[in-house]
Structures are given as C-alpha cells and as structure tokens.
C-alpha cells in the first residue's frame, strides 16, 4: 500500500484505482509463487520416477530450494545419475 501511495504523492488517490492496483500486485505475486511451486512439484515427480524411493531429505531440500537451485536441477537433470548427484546439484557442485 505504502509504495503505491508514495508513487501517487501529492495527487488524490482514487480508492477504486488503489484497490485495483493492489489486487493486480497480489495476483502477480500469486502467479509467481504458483509457478515456483509448480517447478518444485514437477522436479520432485521427475526425480521420483528416476530414483524410487527418493529420500525424504532430498524432497525437503528441493522444497526449500531457491530459484537458482531449481534451475540448476532442471539444467543438469539428464546428468544426474544418483541421489548424491541431486545433492551436489542443489549445492552447485556440478
């Protein structure tokens, strides 16, 4: 709210416009979060298919990964031959 109000500093703020802007920002954040969670789910499912059973520790590590780590898993997916390789990839040691 504060950022939007500061951008409009010195001007009258239309509450409808303000709520529309806030809704749009929330929607964008939701899409980003959904995309991120979708990547995590997809990578876990793909890795489970290759390495059954996939360790709960590795699943936890993937669920708590940042975007850079997920991108690394995606990029090196076909080079991963063991659960140890997953850990190395998450720790950027590939």
């Amino acid at each position: 709210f504060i950022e939007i109000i500061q951008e409009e500093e010195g001007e009258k703020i239309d509450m409808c416009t303000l709520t529309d802007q806030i809704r749009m920002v929330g929607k964008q954040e939701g899409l980003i979060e959904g995309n991120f969670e979708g990547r995590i789910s997809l990578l876990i499912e793909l890795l489970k298919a290759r390495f059954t059973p996939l360790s709960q520790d590795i699943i936890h590590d993937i669920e708590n990964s940042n975007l850079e780590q997920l991108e690394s898993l995606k990029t090196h997916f076909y080079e991963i031959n063991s659960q140890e390789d997953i850990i190395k990839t998450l720790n950027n040691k590939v």
Side-chain angles (χ1 to χ4, degrees):
F1 295 125
I2 294 172
E3 288 177 16
I4 294 171
I5 291 170
Q6 285 174 343
E7 286 177 14
E8 303 292 328
E9 189 175 331
E11 299 177 23
K12 288 186 179 180
I13 299 172
D14 178 8
M15 290 307 287
C16 290
T17 302
L18 179 61
T19 56
D20 287 345
Q21 288 176 343
I22 292 167
R23 187 178 308 121
M24 187 180 302
V25 168
K27 193 174 192 179
Q28 289 171 342
E29 288 174 358
L31 288 171
I32 291 168
E33 182 67 25
N35 184 316
F36 189 76
E37 290 176 8
R39 288 179 188 210
I40 290 170
S41 295
L42 179 61
L43 283 167
I44 288 172
E45 290 305 312
L46 290 171
L47 290 167
K48 278 182 179 178
R50 285 186 70 187
F51 306 107
T52 301
L54 188 60
S55 131
Q56 286 300 315
D57 289 337
I58 291 177
I59 292 171
H60 180 265
D61 289 347
I62 295 169
E63 289 173 338
N64 291 294
S65 295
N66 60 38
L67 184 57
E68 181 182 331
Q69 291 169 310
L70 295 177
E71 284 297 313
S72 183
L73 274 179
K74 182 182 82 171
T75 301
H76 299 287
F77 182 79
Y78 291 107
E79 299 166 18
I80 296 172
N81 297 307
S82 67
Q83 293 194 42
E84 291 80 23
D85 288 346
I86 297 169
I87 295 167
K88 288 179 186 176
T89 303
L90 286 172
N91 292 324
N92 295 315
K93 295 181 180 178
V94 286

